[in-house]
Amino acid sequence: MKKIYFPIVFSLILIFDKTAAVVICYHGTWSHYRSGNGNFPISLTPTDLCTHYIYAFAGLDASTNQVVSLDSWLDFNLNGFQNAIALKQSNKDLKVLLAVGGYSQGSARFSNMAAHQSTRATFIQSALTFVQTHGFDGLDLDWEYPARRDGQAQDKENFALLVKELYEVFNPLGLILTSAVSAVHVDVSYDVPTLSQYLDYINLMLYDFHGFWDTHAYHNAPLYSTSKLAGTSSAGFSVNASVHQWIEAGASPSKLALGIPLYGRTAILSSASNTSPGAPTTSQGAHAGPYTGTVGFWGYNEIVEQFQNGDWTLEWDDEQEVPYAYKGTTWLTYDNGRSIGQKVEFANDLGLGGIMVWSIETDDAYGVSDIRFPLLKAIQNALDTSRPNSSTTSSVSSTTSSTAPVTSETTSSSQKTSTTTAAETTTTTTTPTSTTTQGKPSSDSRRIKDANSCVTEGFFGSSVDCSIYFYCQSVDNGHVGYSFMCSQGLVYDTTFGICNYPALVDCSN
Ligand SMILES: *[C@@H]1O[C@H](CO)[C@@H](O)[C@H](O)[C@H]1NC(C)=O
Ligand SMILES: *[C@@H]1O[C@H](CO)[C@@H](O)[C@H](O)[C@H]1NC(C)=O
């Protein structure tokens, strides 16, 4: 009997291992400043739906070649870094990474830094210090893009050197290294075999293939290419074509994370009577959404609100395996649970390392459409169907009473860095200078005793220790509380929902 049993158990383990896929969740942390259903503080992250959380973005200082905060108010005064690390309290396996760069940082500063061994060394040392000081598990490089935009041809080779040298410092310390990379012009920018060797994951940005800037209505992130574009320069603009290109160029499939956009793009059709993919457009985008504020771009959270306003015609493109929608002359290309399910299946079929999303704050976080985080849940469900049985124990049991103070290394560094980077602060909203003081905590309904005392969703201060606060999340059969601690010297202000100076908050009992 035992001889029969053993191989069965063994093969189950193998199956499980093979499909232990990652879900790499980027967070555009500036969504903290958005209002209403667009508001997405770090603590709202569904830690049971991500294996990696990536804090976007820190910057690269063009003159010093060092990693710097781009929003010291959010990163330090509002405890952004600290709250990101604290996400591990509700999922002990979660890896929390810091992204450096992003589209708006341009390419030139990375190009200059990577061009010389000495400046690469300066960057690597500063990245290591930054990551270790704040407690991150690793770094994500977001150079958009080597040898493109304002970069130079040698970037391809220099980026590979940078990644190798970073690996040699980070790997022995157990620190993770990933990079967001382009879906197109792969051979121009990337020494793929080297990147595949030294990066833990290559995050494929498989979106923005098309948008309002085109003259015709095509998809933002189609799974397959369309025959309509065969023979044109955008013939290979699809998830399938890009993934195959990366693999053919020498990437190990297990290192690739298939990027899925949690947003859509709009275009204005030339005629309301031609609404099919490929229809002529005016090269204009539809109005900006209330949360993301960008013409031609809607987060999925904005899309579901549009759909609730009615009058949209929803369609499915059988050739490219993605949905689209239109209303009058407004044309929308986006992803939904169905297209995401197919992309996850595609990733599984090719044995990819997993999925990446840009970005969690535009999922339907508040469940306007029905359930909360429907797109992240679609990813998890599609991954689960290929697993024997995933343990779906969410954060519930492990977090209800985790009041462990968040380390002191983050607090000391916050003092250090907030002064050096204050000039770079890009956002000055919600300054804690309005002075109305609170009623006493004992009579303040926004203060509760501990994380087990949650009865409604939202942020609450502690009635016991003013420096502690909680996020109470609704779950099926009640509420789950997550605990956080303000950085040293600050206390939780229930009026503004932030950590504030003690003089501005009434904490007396
Ligand atoms: C997917 O891409 C591969 C490689 O480019 C190609 O051979 C194949 O036909 C594509 N599949 C579809 C359905 O387009
Ligand atoms: C898998 O999980 C489901 C839901 O928790 C459970 O009902 C089912 O019995 C499990 N299957 C196995 C094989 O453990």
Side-chain angles (χ1 to χ4, degrees), residues 23-45:
V23 180
I24 298 176
C25 294
Y26 279 95
H27 179 200
T29 52
W30 54 92
S31 54
H32 171 97
Y33 298 114
R34 293 177 185 158
S35 55
N37 286 337
N39 178 243
F40 201 109
I42 290 157
S43 51
L44 199 54
T45 301

Side-chain angles (χ1 to χ4, degrees), residues 223-226 238-242 244-245 248 319 346:
L223 178 49
Y224 295 109
S225 302
T226 173
S238 70
V239 170
N240 176 56
S242 282
H244 277 105
Q245 192 184 357
E248 278 157 26
E319 183 187 27
F346 173 88

Side-chain angles (χ1 to χ4, degrees), residues 12 68 88 108 146 185 207 235 251 279 301 303 314 401 410 424 472-473:
L12 276 177
V68 289
K88 293 153 76 82
H185 304 299
Y207 34 74
N301 53 351
I303 292 171
L314 308 188
S401 59
T410 42
E424 295 199 37
C472 296
Q473 183 180 29

Side-chain angles (χ1 to χ4, degrees), residues 388-390 392:
N389 225 353
S390 76
T392 47

Side-chain angles (χ1 to χ4, degrees), residues 466-496:
C466 215
S467 66
I468 290 175
Y469 62 105
F470 312 101
Y471 178 68
C472 296
Q473 183 180 29
S474 296
V475 294
D476 291 341
N477 50 357
H479 290 85
V480 182
Y482 304 87
S483 306
F484 303 95
M485 184 174 245
C486 294
S487 49
Q488 203 168 36
L490 300 182
V491 296
Y492 189 72
D493 179 338
T494 56
T495 303
F496 298 102

